[in-house]
Amino acid sequence: MPPDPAAAPAAPLRLCIDKDALAANWRALDRASGTGKAGAAVKANAYSLGVPQVVPVLRDAGCADWFVAHWQEVPGVMAHVPAGEISVLHGPVTMDEVAFARECGARPVLNTLEQAARWIEGGGGTCDLMIDTGMNRLGVSLKDLGDPLIARLDVDCAMSHMASADEDAPKNAQQLGRFREARASVKARRFSLANSAAIALGPDYHFDLTRPGLSLYGGIPRREMSAFIRQVAFPQAAVLQVRRVMPGETVGYNATFQATREMRVAIVSVGYADGYLRAWSDKGRFSFEGAALPAIGRVSMDMTAVDVSDVPTLREGDWLGIEYDPVWASRTSGLSQYEIFTVLGSRFSRR
Ligand SMILES: *Cc1c(COP(=O)(O)O)cnc(C)c1O
């Protein structure tokens, strides 16, 4: 019989979540939302930080509105909060999804007239409504809001999504104008426009509910948000081997790093299969007991080499901190801060 996976030894990779920072970020975003209340986008396993780690902390901080993308994501969130607090952004595209929504009690965000008809056909009930104000992603167009199907819906939250809130673009005011127009014609208990970045665009954008995701997890989509958003995700990797490298020797694939002096090199258990990108070859930073340690050579699939010459006490089995400040990680990799979180792989033990 194969051994129970739960009986396997602890993972050599940890994703430590600073719960105080996470709760503080939600409270800061809730405060910054003025008269609106902050919810939380927890799709994609809470941007890969882990629904079981994130949702209870935000719930205890006072969050009571949750946004996921897929119906498959509902049960994981429902393990921690009432289903009636969960909105499913992709809406009901099949009758199976309508039936599932009615059975579990999570709210569909209706994105099209077809979805509205499907929801009503399946028995209906309270729903949310996405209105497209110019992003041309999901949502009912302004010109379709007058359709009698929309008037038949029992809408809790009518929302729209901002395309360029992380920039000072004319599109922001344009979307706000269109959302105000929609608000005058649609009946709903609550209205919601802002993602993380749009919270910083000011009170006009706050309405009744805001939907931050990125900034809860430490992302800084607008510079002014660095004043109140803290880093939440702190990855760590175990040292698998410490070796001596002599001057002239090379380290790693394609021998991109060549030692110019005698060095101690630690091979740590994190690689691009874990989301530790090849972009950080010769650029990444690690830490041990306060000492900053550079990555050297190519990042491999499961391993990265680190110059630990400055920490002679370091041994196999010790843990290194992995530099993962989202702004730094985004700048040095060319990925968006969103991807910096979502690339974090499943081999991390999340705690
Ligand atoms: C993902 C998402 C959010 C959260 O956006 P952030 O930029 O991460 O704050 C809010 N609303 C909708 C509709 C989304 O899809």
Side-chain angles (χ1 to χ4, degrees), residues 203-245:
D204 284 353
Y205 291 81
H206 295 158
F207 296 93
D208 304 301
L209 176 67
T210 60
R211 309 186 307 274
L214 183 70
S215 293
L216 290 172
Y217 311 119
I220 317 261
R222 295 183 62 91
R223 200 177 309 227
E224 60 267 37
M225 299 177 86
S226 64
F228 61 91
I229 295 299
R230 289 162 56 184
Q231 186 173 345
V232 169
F234 295 89
Q236 300 177 343
V239 173
L240 302 173
Q241 177 169 4
V242 182
R243 61 188 315 126
R244 192 165 298 281
V245 175

Side-chain angles (χ1 to χ4, degrees), residues 23-330:
N25 285 349
W26 183 82
R27 282 193 294 267
L29 289 161
D30 187 53
R31 255 193 317 276
S33 299
T35 53
K37 185 164 164 43
V42 294
K43 61 200 183 194
N45 197 24
Y47 291 37
S48 280
L49 270 59
V51 159
Q53 287 70 33
V54 163
V55 170
V57 173
L58 297 181
R59 176 199 63 205
D60 295 347
C63 184
D65 292 276
W66 315 91
F67 297 88
V68 295
H70 292 206
W71 292 99
Q72 288 286 339
E73 297 178 303
V74 170
V77 179
M78 266 180 76
H80 308 284
V81 300
E85 297 184 353
I86 304 170
S87 298
V88 182
L89 292 163
H90 284 193
V93 176
T94 64
M95 280 317 276
D96 278 354
E97 291 172 346
V98 169
F100 180 76
R102 287 174 51 84
E103 195 179 298
C104 75
R107 277 199 310 284
V109 180
L110 305 182
N111 293 299
T112 65
L113 293 179
E114 289 88 339
Q115 289 181 16
R118 198 172 291 123
W119 182 240
I120 291 168
E121 183 195 333
T126 304
C127 60
D128 291 342
L129 180 68
M130 178 64 77
I131 299 163
D132 183 70
T133 53
M135 187 172 184
N136 280 305
R137 203 173 63 172
L138 291 180
V140 176
S141 307
L142 288 182
K143 66 173 172 42
D144 288 336
L145 284 181
D147 193 286
L149 273 172
I150 300 294
R152 288 174 61 192
L153 298 171
D154 174 23
V155 180
D156 176 7
C157 185
M159 66 188 86
S160 188
H161 193 52
M162 300 288 291
S164 308
D166 56 347
E167 303 174 85
D168 290 319
K171 182 127 201 131
N172 295 335
Q174 187 187 72
Q175 285 196 269
L176 174 62
R178 290 182 182 167
F179 191 61
R180 283 177 167 154
E181 236 177 88
R183 186 164 171 255
S185 69
V186 170
K187 238 178 70 188
R189 285 192 273 291
R190 301 186 292 172
F191 290 85
S192 172
L193 178 60
N195 64 342
S196 297
I199 290 172
L201 293 179
D204 284 353
Y205 291 81
H206 295 158
F207 296 93
D208 304 301
L209 176 67
T210 60
R211 309 186 307 274
L214 183 70
S215 293
L216 290 172
Y217 311 119
I220 317 261
R222 295 183 62 91
R223 200 177 309 227
E224 60 267 37
M225 299 177 86
S226 64
F228 61 91
I229 295 299
R230 289 162 56 184
Q231 186 173 345
V232 169
F234 295 89
Q236 300 177 343
V239 173
L240 302 173
Q241 177 169 4
V242 182
R243 61 188 315 126
R244 192 165 298 281
V245 175
M246 302 308 280
E249 290 190 321
T250 64
V251 175
Y253 281 124
N254 307 107
T256 59
F257 179 88
Q258 184 169 37
T260 55
R261 57 187 166 83
E262 188 180 333
M263 304 171 76
R264 285 182 90 227
V265 173
I267 309 302
V268 300
S269 178
V270 66
Y272 58 77
D274 307 300
Y276 195 75
L277 305 167
R278 257 172 58 114
W280 290 312
S281 298
D282 286 310
K283 257 193 235 168
R285 301 172 183 164
F286 290 76
S287 63
F288 182 72
E289 292 176 350
L293 307 168
I296 57 174
R298 285 266 154 88
V299 172
S300 297
M301 184 182 291
D302 316 298
M303 285 171 276
T304 301
V306 180
D307 178 1
V308 295
S309 306
D310 288 348
V311 279
T313 56
L314 186 90
R315 293 285 173 270
E316 274 181 32
D318 283 342
W319 289 82
L320 297 192
I322 304 173
E323 172 66 69
Y324 219 70
D325 168 72
V327 175
W328 173 86
S330 169

Side-chain angles (χ1 to χ4, degrees), residues 5-19:
L13 264 179
R14 302 169 179 159
L15 184 57
C16 300
I17 306 298
D18 183 337
K19 293 182 171 187

